[in-house]
Amino acid sequence: MNDFNTVFLDNNLEYIILNTIELNGYNYLILVNVNNYKDFAIRREENNELIGLNNEIEFNNVLLAFFQKIGGV
Amino acid sequence: MNEQEYKEVFENLKKNSIGNNKRSSNKRSLKKIVLNASMASILVTFLTGCSIGLKESNNNDYSNEKITEESNFYGYGKGFLEQSEKLDTSNLMENHNLTEFNLIDGKRQYNYSKEEYSKIYTLTDSYLYGFYLLTTEDTFNTVLSSRGYESFDDFLRKNGYINSKGEPSREMWEVDSLNKAATRLNNLEEEMGYSR
């Protein structure tokens, strides 16, 4: 049993914060559903809110930043 | 998991993530949770889903071209296993708050001492392949010394990676490390109930 930070998203499901990424002045959260380890989501932190990403470009940029952070790729 | 399942993970992630009408509170709770899978295997699922999904949707180069190639290691590709090993090593360092590094030619240069690596009690020889892939030669040599080896050749000799000419063999170690990584992942996926 481990301690995890969790949040509830707009779909009322609880997600564990797997990782955080700083990009272009924003913090992004990589999340996994507490009850389904194939259900992931990304959110941008803004003014105490978690907000979905604007478009596919932002989505791809966050993933690329994540790859660089964890894999040195 | 097969490639189709990973694609579904990616498509679900994309659907869940894009849309600025998705708004919720950033209120966090610290909870004790029993995971039915290791954190590493969850991250590997995420990483692989993203690799496959991005490659298909954007035809971008995320250095994972080999994921579907060379699937000789219990069905896993060499590139996938290498990413997984790097991820495990990266997590090991992060879990011990050893997070400062510079990137040199795409590899991590950690400037921690041999003594600092020695304090990581979970750092066993099984992590050396991950360090070999993820970090610079300098860092790798420091980690080797923290494990009591005088050099890379010393490590190879002491662990029996010797070719027919009696010389230390990096290739034998690499193949053995990939096989061990594949076995570990296979076991993890079985524990998670994934069929392959």
Side-chain angles (χ1 to χ4, degrees):
Chain A
M1 187 179 293
N2 290 305
D3 290 328
F4 293 101
N5 273 307
T6 67
V7 291
F8 277 90
L9 295 188
D10 37 284
N11 55 10
N12 293 322
L13 297 176
E14 188 172 21
Y15 287 73
I16 295 170
I17 300 173
L18 281 181
N19 216 306
T20 58
I21 296 155
E22 280 183 42
L23 182 67
N24 299 329
Y26 290 109
N27 273 329
Y28 292 88
L29 308 184
I30 307 285
L31 306 158
V32 64
N33 187 328
V34 168
N35 296 309
N36 178 358
Y37 306 145
K38 296 180 190 175
D39 177 22
F40 298 93
I42 300 172
R43 288 291 184 274
R44 185 178 66 242
E45 285 185 305
E46 210 173 313
N47 301 328
N48 297 319
E49 270 192 315
L50 296 178
I51 303 175
L53 310 185
N54 290 327
N55 50 41
E56 198 164 337
I57 295 169
E58 186 179 20
F59 175 74
N60 287 353
N61 286 340
V62 174
L63 290 183
L64 180 57
F66 182 67
F67 272 65
Q68 287 171 334
K69 178 181 175 184
I70 63 169
V73 293
Chain B
M1 284 176 73
N2 60 36
E3 188 165 334
Q4 183 55 38
E5 288 174 295
Y6 282 120
K7 281 180 189 170
E8 287 167 10
V9 166
F10 178 76
E11 289 306 320
N12 179 66
L13 165 70
K14 202 166 164 181
K15 180 169 67 77
N16 269 351
S17 303
I18 298 176
N20 51 23
N21 58 333
K22 301 179 195 299
R23 287 171 183 263
S24 53
S25 164
N26 193 11
K27 186 181 173 191
R28 301 179 185 193
S29 308
L30 188 63
K31 289 190 175 175
K32 289 195 182 299
I33 296 174
V34 179
L35 291 177
N36 295 322
S38 74
M39 189 52 77
S41 65
I42 292 171
L43 281 167
V44 165
T45 301
F46 178 82
L47 185 69
T48 309
C50 293
S51 302
I52 290 173
L54 284 171
K55 188 179 175 190
E56 182 166 85
S57 63
N58 298 323
N59 202 23
N60 279 341
D61 176 8
Y62 288 92
S63 303
N64 290 285
E65 298 89 343
K66 292 182 181 174
I67 283 176
T68 55
E69 296 174 14
E70 304 174 33
S71 298
N72 302 319
F73 300 95
Y74 299 87
Y76 295 102
K78 181 171 180 260
F80 170 64
L81 293 171
E82 287 177 344
Q83 285 288 5
S84 168
E85 290 297 284
K86 289 200 287 186
L87 179 59
D88 277 349
T89 302
S90 176
N91 283 341
L92 175 77
M93 296 296 282
E94 219 164 279
N95 289 340
H96 290 83
N97 295 319
L98 301 173
T99 55
E100 300 293 323
F101 62 85
N102 299 316
L103 275 180
I104 300 177
D105 294 332
K107 291 207 163 189
R108 293 185 180 188
Q109 172 82 43
Y110 289 101
N111 291 311
Y112 300 111
S113 66
K114 169 184 165 181
E115 288 69 29
E116 283 170 296
Y117 289 109
S118 301
K119 289 177 191 165
I120 307 175
Y121 70 96
T122 50
L123 198 171
T124 60
D125 281 0
S126 67
Y127 279 100
L128 289 176
Y129 189 58
F131 277 102
Y132 174 75
L133 295 171
L134 182 70
T135 67
T136 61
E137 192 175 346
D138 277 354
T139 296
F140 180 59
N141 284 331
T142 306
V143 177
L144 279 171
S145 68
S146 79
R147 301 289 308 146
Y149 300 108
E150 291 171 12
S151 65
F152 192 12
D153 278 355
D154 181 44
F155 162 75
L156 294 172
R157 284 185 187 284
K158 284 180 177 166
N159 287 278
Y161 299 108
I162 307 290
N163 65 19
S164 56
K165 294 177 185 170
E167 298 163 341
S169 170
R170 183 176 305 207
E171 291 74 21
M172 286 172 68
W173 174 59
E174 288 180 348
V175 170
D176 188 44
S177 297
L178 289 168
N179 269 310
K180 284 176 177 166
T183 304
R184 281 197 299 274
L185 281 172
N186 201 33
N187 292 340
L188 280 171
E189 289 203 341
E190 278 183 8
E191 284 170 23
M192 291 167 75
Y194 293 161
S195 58
R196 303 190 67 239

